[in-house]
Amino acid sequence: MAVPESESLWLWLGTAGMTLGTLAFVAMGWNEQDEQKQTYYIVTIFIAAIAATSYFSMASGFGVINIPNHEEPIYWARYADWLFTTPLLLLDLALLAGASRNTIFTLVGLDAAMIVTGLGGALATEGMAYRLAWWGISCGFFLVLLYFLVGKLSAAAAEQSGDVAQLFGTLRNLTLVLWTAYPIVWLIGTEGLGLVGIYPETAIFMVLDLSAKVGFGFLLLRSHTVLDQVTTGAVAAGD
Ligand code: RET
């Protein structure tokens, strides 16, 4: 599908930003010998690389479809991106906190449910009430996810050294603020009530995506000495 010139600018900028972020993370991790630290690089590189691909698909028109009974096109590729990258972002946070396997699986499950039901809302053609109902269901999963993020993960992080706990706190707060903006932008944007047009919406999502992925990645990966101090809990069974 042809993407209007104005939106495509933001989408190409997103493609460029995510690609540069991917390359920067690869360069930063090139000489990393420590296996535990390599994990953060692997996870964070994939986050940026998946997003770069998704942005390319949206900018080129492949990641966009028209659906019946809805005026604006739907960028389905966002959801394909988020389905993989948001669990990976949570994995980064969980590894840093030293969370248990059970906490990690719970977070990933809630997150996948949030994105898939959000996609339900984006693709629903049964009328606005149903689209908003999907949004509400997705927000339900999101709220439980936040409960685990603020409760369980913070409790696990408190067991870590002061530096690790502090870095976790910074990244968790960044995540809380940025992630909360997504359902709001969705609701007021073209998928929801249509108070904000597709042009500003595309720009806002691009800035949010770059901050939540590349900004997050830089804050995490530049903290070499802090990452050295993480003691893992993920291999220990149970809570
Ligand atoms: C949707 C729509 C329905 C309600 C909710 C949503 C939440 C989305 C979130 C997305 C986060 C994306 C990130 C991308 C990084 O690049 C699906 C918009 C709750 C939280 C962090």
Side-chain angles (χ1 to χ4, degrees):
M1 230 187 86
V3 178
E5 204 66 29
S6 52
E7 293 148 55
S8 86
L9 168 71
W10 297 115
L11 297 168
W12 285 118
L13 278 176
T15 311
M18 294 297 182
T19 307
L20 288 175
T22 307
L23 296 175
F25 296 152
V26 169
M28 286 163 77
W30 200 257
N31 288 320
E32 185 55 68
Q33 302 298 329
D34 180 276
E35 278 195 25
Q36 198 179 313
K37 273 200 273 175
Q38 282 174 347
T39 311
Y40 295 101
Y41 284 98
I42 294 166
V43 172
T44 313
I45 288 166
F46 275 117
I47 293 171
I50 292 169
T53 318
S54 155
Y55 264 92
F56 174 71
S57 83
M58 293 192 284
S60 61
F62 172 75
V64 199
I65 48 162
N66 277 316
I67 55 165
N69 306 328
H70 197 77
E71 226 172 90
E72 296 290 353
I74 299 295
Y75 288 91
W76 63 266
R78 289 194 190 292
Y79 301 86
D81 166 342
W82 296 345
L83 183 59
F84 294 101
T85 58
T86 51
L88 290 173
L89 285 163
L90 291 173
L91 184 60
D92 262 341
L93 279 172
L95 290 174
L96 188 62
S100 71
R101 253 196 317 207
N102 287 351
T103 302
I104 296 178
F105 283 129
T106 307
L107 282 169
V108 168
L110 288 166
D111 185 287
M114 170 185 83
I115 300 300
V116 170
T117 51
L119 176 65
L123 296 181
T125 55
E126 293 76 19
M128 186 52 80
Y130 286 101
R131 297 177 68 83
L132 295 180
W134 282 112
W135 178 86
I137 296 168
S138 178
C139 282
F141 287 117
F142 183 46
L143 289 176
V144 185
L145 187 160
L146 291 184
Y147 168 80
F148 275 88
L149 187 62
V150 175
K152 286 266 180 195
L153 275 202
S154 303
E159 309 273 305
Q160 300 280 347
S161 78
D163 285 347
V164 176
Q166 203 184 343
L167 177 62
F168 171 82
T170 307
L171 292 173
R172 182 204 57 195
N173 293 345
L174 181 77
T175 301
L176 281 178
V177 172
L178 292 175
W179 286 38
T180 303
Y182 283 84
I184 299 172
V185 175
W186 194 100
L187 182 65
I188 60 174
T190 58
E191 285 92 349
L193 302 172
L195 306 175
V196 166
I198 188 95
Y199 180 76
E201 179 187 324
T202 310
I204 296 169
F205 271 139
M206 196 272 290
V207 173
L208 286 174
D209 283 347
L210 271 182
S211 315
K213 290 188 168 93
V214 178
F216 178 101
F218 269 114
L219 286 178
L220 176 70
L221 298 178
R222 65 158 200 196
S223 313
H224 290 266
T225 46
V226 181
L227 295 182
D228 273 334
Q229 300 166 33
V230 178
T231 48
T232 51
V235 277
D239 263 320

